[in-house]
Amino acid sequence: ELQGRLFQGQLTRNVFLHIPFVVTPPRLPLLLSLALMPKSYESGQLLYQAGDSAFHMYLVLSGTFAFVARPERPSKSPRANEMWPYQLFSHRSYFGNFELHGGLKQFRRATARCESDRGHALRLPREHYMRLCAEFPQFNAAWHGESIRREALRCRLQAAHGRMLNYRVLAAKRLQRYIRLRKAEKEEKRDGHEEDFAAFPSGRHSWHSSSGEVSETLGSL
């Protein structure tokens, strides 16, 4: 199919077009592709800064992009005033659409930067995004709701942003945390299954998790 070959098949694989329980109509990726502009970025290049007017959103093709800010934790390091990543976006992810839903005079709430040596993204202008939202109301509702959830996650990650880590170290730490969460979740399920057959509780350590917590951890990778 034609839509499956757009941008070497990378467009239809982007999570932006994958809405749970909603079938993507063939027209959507086709119309989207007509408005997308491929852009290349170098390490350290800013896509936009907090306070800028919001004119575009971005679908990542390759490389790693990030929301960056100065760490909240005080430090005497000479690099403490530099911008460090706290939320990462890589292949198949997207960012920058939250402010597009808020009317004509919305300003960026975060600063976005390319972190890898080279990064490639598809840039979608605001007016075309709003046209797609009007033409595909089911996707509009899903995109809007997801943008609110992602913005809440961004705010939590920025509030907890206290260390000067490059994007590779940050990605490794986020992945390690996700693996630990998954392991603990499996152990809790296994122990809970064993307790169903026990006469008395085993007294295991209580660890509380949820699919939402795990998905938010993945969303920050």
Side-chain angles (χ1 to χ4, degrees), residues 174-192 195 202-217:
R174 292 275 164 79
L175 183 58
Q176 289 169 357
R177 180 175 181 270
Y178 170 70
I179 293 173
R180 287 196 298 268
L181 287 172
R182 292 290 294 171
K183 182 178 179 180
E185 186 179 55
K186 290 180 180 179
E187 290 177 352
E188 182 172 278
K189 289 181 178 179
R190 182 193 62 203
D191 292 347
E195 286 179 1
S202 63
R204 62 181 173 84
H205 175 69
S206 177
W207 182 87
H208 299 281
S209 180
S210 66
S211 59
E213 183 178 3
V214 171
S215 64
E216 286 176 358
T217 303

Side-chain angles (χ1 to χ4, degrees), residues 38-93:
K39 301 290 289 185
S40 297
Y41 301 92
E42 297 180 353
S43 178
Q45 184 175 352
L46 297 178
L47 283 73
Y48 55 80
Q49 298 186 70
D52 288 350
S53 296
F55 294 120
H56 305 92
M57 68 166 293
Y58 301 83
L59 283 66
V60 181
L61 294 177
S62 63
T64 300
F65 299 82
F67 286 146
V68 297
R70 295 180 179 85
E72 298 291 333
R73 186 181 304 168
S75 172
K76 295 181 180 180
S77 170
R79 303 187 66 186
N81 288 326
E82 296 180 15
M83 307 281 271
W84 295 86
Y86 63 88
Q87 186 173 8
L88 306 177
F89 303 94
S90 297
H91 175 59
R92 295 181 59 196
S93 59

Side-chain angles (χ1 to χ4, degrees), residues 81-154:
N81 288 326
E82 296 180 15
M83 307 281 271
W84 295 86
Y86 63 88
Q87 186 173 8
L88 306 177
F89 303 94
S90 297
H91 175 59
R92 295 181 59 196
S93 59
Y94 69 94
F95 60 94
N97 69 322
F98 173 73
E99 296 91 346
L100 304 187
H101 285 279
L104 295 177
K105 295 184 178 180
Q106 284 295 306
F107 301 98
R108 293 296 188 186
R109 301 191 178 191
T111 297
R113 187 176 71 189
C114 178
E115 296 297 297
S116 52
D117 292 337
R118 296 284 292 178
H120 302 276
L122 299 173
R123 192 174 71 179
L124 178 65
R126 178 197 189 97
E127 58 269 22
H128 291 284
Y129 177 72
M130 299 313 297
R131 288 175 193 168
L132 292 173
C133 288
E135 188 161 349
F136 301 93
Q138 284 183 300
F139 279 80
N140 176 34
W143 288 334
H144 191 196
E146 180 64 7
S147 73
I148 294 173
R149 188 198 70 79
R150 289 161 68 98
E151 173 62 13
L153 171 61
R154 185 199 67 76

Side-chain angles (χ1 to χ4, degrees), residues 23-40:
V23 177
T24 303
R27 290 182 62 250
L28 176 53
L30 291 174
L31 291 175
L32 180 59
S33 68
L34 295 176
L36 290 169
M37 176 67 69
K39 301 290 289 185
S40 297

